[in-house]
Amino acid sequence: MSKLTDLPKRILIGRALRSDKLGETLLPKRLALPVFASDPLSSVAYAPGEVLLVLSIAGVSAYHFSPWIAGAVVVLMFTVVASYRQNVHAYPSGGGDYEVATTNLGPRAGLTVASALLVDYVLTVAVSVASGIENLGSAVPFFVTHKVVGAVGMIVILMLMNLRGVRESGTIFAIPTYAFVFGVFCMIAWGVFKIATGHDMHAPTAGYTIHAESSGIGGFALIFLLLRAFSSGCAALTGVEAISNGVPAFKKPKSKNAATTLAAMGLLAVTMFCGIIALAINTHVRMAENPATDLLNHGTPVGSGFTQDPVIAQVAEAVFGHNSIPFVFLAAVTALVLFLAANTAYNGFPVLGSILAQDRYLPRQLHTRGDRLAFSNGIVLLAGFACVLVYIYGADSTRLIQLYIVGVFVSFTLSQTGMVRHWNRHLRTETDQAKRRHMVRSRAINTFGAFLTGLVLVIVLLTKFTHGAWVAVLGMVVFYATMTAIRRHYTRVSDEIAAEDEPGDDYVRPSRVHSIVLVSKVHKPTLRALSYAKLVRSDTLEALSINVDPDDTKALQADWQRRGIDVPLKVLDSPYREITRPIIDYVKGLRRNSPRDVVSIYIPEYVVGHWYEHLLHNQSALRLKGRLLFTPGVMVTSVPYQLESSEVARARARRRADWNAPGSIRRGPVGPQQREREHQREH
């Protein structure tokens, strides 16, 4: 890599790390929490609003159902957290839901889980960033009119931060995440204090009324509405599975630290979620799916110019006061943590992609780590998918969130079902009574988790499918089909190139070798190719030229005879002035006449030093090699001839090899041998 590109790369992502430094990138619990749990923690910024938005269809009177919905979400959260604590102990290798489903339910179930998680990770980035832009827009109006540009820019920034490595990104993300948790808890505590002391708090929309799209809802319609509100509130559970996928990134004891982090994440998330819902009801927050027409100010619709702030922003304004320092602080850290919530996906998607690549379901390039020991290719791929999604949906979190949750509950349900089979299998062979009691208890937790998450999956599909969830389902199908096709390709190639135990045709030596040197004119590259071809043992050797211009061909033949070159020159006519086709036809004719013979073709090529010079040379050679690759029994050898510009380029490369970008080398501790060498130099 040139100095021009190496310097910016090192500035952006830092110096390259040796493979043996991987242990230094492992995370303690205090950093693992913001790295892997920023998504479920930050989702409390938009999940309460989604509940109220759905309930607003039936008018303000339906808001009194929100505490019950919040209670159901809390039960579900604790169930999922308890279930995943079993996962991290049983499967600490980092495969998470994919490994659990594959091991216990089979490859198809595992691939279904993987497809669901990949879709969910992409949506996590898109929803988190879009929601962060909207929260930032409540304080900075620029982002209201430039949502897509702001969202794409933030996705790229997050990509660069994660390319620096897991530990460094964790350090960067820890302060905003803990600042957000601190701010929300301060808001809840101060709000509860003001309620207890009789202070009146009013959200900016407290004086508005809601035009109910469906007034007087009852019976089945009301049940369906409540189920839809519950499924929207379940957005608070997204990202819970990331910890089970990221167990290898924890410091030892890995499983114990991951389980502790899971418990802390669940407790913080449900406390903040319930607190914001309670304050939203007490401060009379009003939300509408179509605020321009359904939100009324003194009986008049607020119009298209109205910007509906998120619930957390309205509650913060009611508790702290408009534009107060605590309000601005919470708005800033909320927007920031929503951006950083995408980090959950940036850590989950590349790791899962690496595992899938190792299992030959994704391209092998996703399996390798980059300069900073992060899975760089997976990080870049995730950013690309998220940018496309944000552009298509205009960075609108309300539209994007309809696609959300389906994937995560597919993985929840299949993972917990797989864990039930895991415990059943171990119970059949375990004789220790203490271990059996532990397994039975764990199986009961996972059984309840599978039942509850399966029920929620059905609810989500029924209530969200026509509102956009079908896109997520389609994405899962596309991922499943693509990964199946990739695995089929890798399997076919592996079977074809596998060496047989018994000697076959590949072990049999060819009967003869026909060597052909391609010639356009007699010059140094041609003479070098002829000299090299003579050194290689072959049964026949001939030079081959194509007659495109009769005058050039006559000049070539005359020069050949004048120099007395002892290799026969064969000239093929080309009435249509083609070069590639006559050579291919000639080689195929040799193969037809002697199928057990091998044809070895030598192509003289110029080696140039500048990219633009490549456009002026070697195009015929490239086309010819591309065609010959598909011809069985043909070996192609390039014989390079270095021009002066290539020598200049080689000198530049040597200078670059001796140059190091700032920060690319860090001096380590001085060892005994180095001290001895320095001592000898001094004396």
Side-chain angles (χ1 to χ4, degrees), residues 265-284:
M265 177 271 298
L267 185 61
L268 292 173
V270 298
T271 304
M272 292 190 293
F273 179 79
C274 293
I276 292 172
I277 285 277
L279 288 178
I281 299 302
N282 277 278
T283 57
H284 312 291

Side-chain angles (χ1 to χ4, degrees), residues 76 227-228 230-232 234-235 402-409 453-467 469:
L76 182 61
L227 291 176
R228 186 182 163 197
F230 169 68
S231 66
S232 295
C234 288
Q402 302 304 321
L403 285 63
Y404 217 9
I405 308 173
V406 176
V408 73
F409 277 99
T453 54
L455 181 63
V456 174
L457 175 61
V458 173
I459 293 171
V460 169
L461 287 173
L462 290 175
T463 58
K464 282 181 169 284
F465 191 82
T466 57
H467 290 80

Side-chain angles (χ1 to χ4, degrees), residues 87-126:
N87 287 37
V88 298
H89 286 294
Y91 293 91
S93 62
D97 295 341
Y98 167 70
E99 183 181 0
V100 173
T102 301
T103 303
N104 299 288
L105 302 177
R108 291 184 179 179
L111 204 56
T112 301
V113 167
S115 305
L117 286 174
L118 292 176
V119 169
D120 187 66
Y121 285 138
V122 175
L123 284 167
T124 294
V125 176

Side-chain angles (χ1 to χ4, degrees), residues 651-682:
R652 287 200 308 269
R654 188 182 300 115
R655 288 196 300 271
R656 286 197 301 269
D658 296 334
W659 177 85
N660 293 290
S664 63
I665 295 179
R666 183 178 66 181
R667 183 173 180 178
V670 179
Q673 294 180 350
Q674 187 173 348
R675 289 196 191 95
E676 180 63 25
R677 286 195 298 270
E678 292 179 354
H679 179 74
Q680 290 175 356
R681 282 198 298 269
E682 291 173 357

Side-chain angles (χ1 to χ4, degrees), residues 146-225:
H146 299 84
K147 292 169 64 175
V148 174
V149 174
V152 170
M154 182 52 62
I155 290 171
V156 173
I157 291 172
L158 289 169
M159 177 190 74
L160 294 174
M161 292 169 67
N162 277 276
L163 287 174
R164 293 188 66 88
V166 175
R167 187 180 181 88
E168 286 205 22
S169 65
T171 305
I172 295 170
F173 296 165
I175 295 175
T177 303
Y178 285 124
F180 170 72
V181 173
F182 173 76
V184 172
F185 272 94
C186 285
M187 181 184 71
I188 294 171
W190 188 242
V192 170
F193 173 77
K194 292 181 79 171
I195 292 171
T197 54
H199 284 76
D200 250 351
M201 296 184 296
H202 297 284
T205 56
Y208 295 0
T209 56
I210 298 176
H211 172 68
E213 294 181 16
S214 304
S215 58
I217 288 182
F220 180 77
L222 177 61
I223 294 173
F224 186 82
L225 181 71

Side-chain angles (χ1 to χ4, degrees), residues 340-566:
L340 302 185
N343 189 62
T344 299
Y346 274 108
N347 282 285
F349 185 101
V351 172
L352 179 59
S354 173
I355 294 170
L356 289 168
Q358 188 176 11
D359 291 346
R360 300 188 298 179
Y361 285 116
L362 286 178
R364 290 170 181 167
Q365 294 89 328
L366 295 176
H367 179 55
T368 55
R369 294 180 183 269
D371 284 355
R372 298 289 298 175
L373 297 178
F375 295 107
S376 306
N377 292 330
I379 291 171
V380 174
L381 186 64
L382 172 63
F385 282 145
C387 285
V388 170
L389 203 59
V390 161
Y391 177 78
I392 292 174
Y393 283 85
D396 187 341
S397 66
T398 302
R399 293 174 61 197
L400 283 167
I401 209 165
Q402 302 304 321
L403 285 63
Y404 217 9
I405 308 173
V406 176
V408 73
F409 277 99
V410 168
S411 62
F412 283 170
T413 304
L414 290 177
S415 172
Q416 299 314 307
T417 304
M419 286 301 296
V420 173
R421 296 192 67 174
H422 167 83
W423 298 124
N424 286 340
R425 186 174 67 253
H426 282 273
L427 280 168
R428 283 196 290 268
T429 58
E430 184 58 58
T431 57
D432 186 278
Q433 291 302 313
K435 291 182 178 179
R436 285 184 63 85
R437 285 193 296 270
H438 171 73
M439 290 179 182
V440 169
R441 183 172 65 253
S442 298
R443 182 179 63 178
I445 293 172
N446 289 128
T447 301
F448 183 68
F451 168 76
L452 195 55
T453 54
L455 181 63
V456 174
L457 175 61
V458 173
I459 293 171
V460 169
L461 287 173
L462 290 175
T463 58
K464 282 181 169 284
F465 191 82
T466 57
H467 290 80
W470 64 270
V471 177
V473 175
L474 178 62
M476 291 168 54
V477 173
V478 170
F479 268 119
Y480 187 98
T482 302
M483 289 191 290
T484 302
I486 291 172
R487 174 60 182 263
R488 191 180 300 120
H489 167 79
Y490 278 138
T491 302
R492 184 177 67 250
V493 171
S494 179
D495 291 342
E496 283 190 35
I497 65 176
E500 299 175 353
D501 294 332
E502 298 295 329
D505 293 339
D506 293 321
Y507 291 87
V508 178
R509 293 179 59 184
S511 299
R512 290 182 301 173
V513 177
H514 297 284
S515 293
I516 299 173
V517 179
L518 301 184
V519 175
S520 59
K521 61 179 63 177
V522 179
H523 47 34
K524 291 180 180 179
T526 297
L527 296 176
R528 174 174 289 185
L530 288 169
S531 299
Y532 179 71
K534 289 178 182 178
L535 291 175
V536 180
R537 179 182 176 183
S538 57
D539 296 279
T540 61
L541 174 61
E542 63 180 344
L544 186 66
S545 183
I546 307 301
N547 181 12
V548 175
D549 186 312
D551 293 336
D552 290 343
T553 301
K554 288 179 181 178
L556 170 64
Q557 290 172 325
D559 198 11
W560 199 270
Q561 291 176 356
R562 182 178 62 82
R563 292 175 179 273
I565 299 175
D566 58 350

